[in-house]
């Protein structure tokens, strides 16, 4: 596990092959060697999906997530349905893990 000494946050990350998000339309992102996509779970209960080192594609706080997020997995792909209680809207994100597992630490 990687430790960030400034905030003492543990990070667990996996490489993704692709990522997409849907609010009104699907936005698709494909990982490349120059711009890899990673999904990380931070010790402070956050899920972060980023492309490269500077582009954040998704950031979620996972506190009480079981009440507002549902997921489905099929092989190496995951679909998450995220419901907002503030404006009664729903959005979706989907991602596919890299074929070799792509776990980083």
């Amino acid at each position: 596990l990687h430790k960030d000494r400034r905030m003492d946050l543990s990070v667990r990350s996996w490489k993704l092959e692709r990522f997409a998000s849907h609010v009104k339309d699907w936005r698709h992102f494909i990982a490349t060697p120059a711009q890899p996509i990673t999904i990380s779970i931070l010790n402070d209960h956050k899920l972060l999906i980023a492309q490269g080192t500077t582009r954040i594609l998704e950031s979620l706080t996972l506190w009480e997530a079981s009440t507002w997020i549902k997921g489905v997995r099929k092989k190496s792909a995951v679909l998450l349905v995220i419901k907002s209680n503030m404006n009664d809207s729903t959005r979706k994100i989907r991602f596919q893990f890299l074929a070799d597992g792509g776990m980083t630490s």
Side-chain angles (χ1 to χ4, degrees):
L1 292 175
H2 167 72
K3 287 275 194 180
D4 182 336
R5 295 190 193 287
R6 292 170 294 154
M7 300 171 90
D8 195 30
L9 297 178
S10 296
V11 177
R12 190 108 183 181
S13 298
W14 297 265
K15 292 180 183 177
L16 299 179
E17 192 170 310
R18 65 187 79 229
F19 169 79
S21 64
H22 180 272
V23 177
K24 293 181 181 179
D25 295 314
W26 282 103
R27 292 182 316 139
H28 297 270
F29 302 90
I30 305 294
T32 65
Q35 293 289 313
I37 300 174
T38 57
I39 184 169
S40 301
I41 299 177
L42 309 177
N43 198 32
D44 63 345
H45 305 285
K46 288 188 178 146
L47 177 103
L48 181 70
I49 300 175
Q51 186 169 31
T53 57
T54 58
R55 186 174 189 184
I56 296 174
L57 303 175
E58 190 70 48
S59 177
L60 297 170
T61 301
L62 299 175
W63 286 106
E64 298 182 8
S66 65
T67 62
W68 53 269
I69 192 169
K70 300 296 179 204
V72 177
R73 178 184 64 87
K74 184 177 181 181
K75 296 186 181 182
S76 65
V78 176
L79 170 69
L80 298 179
V81 179
I82 303 158
K83 183 166 173 70
S84 171
N85 290 331
M86 295 172 118
N87 57 9
D88 201 34
S89 66
T90 301
R91 62 193 181 97
K92 300 171 188 160
I93 63 172
R94 63 184 180 199
F95 50 90
Q96 183 174 8
F97 290 97
L98 203 61
D100 68 0
M103 185 166 178
T104 63
S105 41

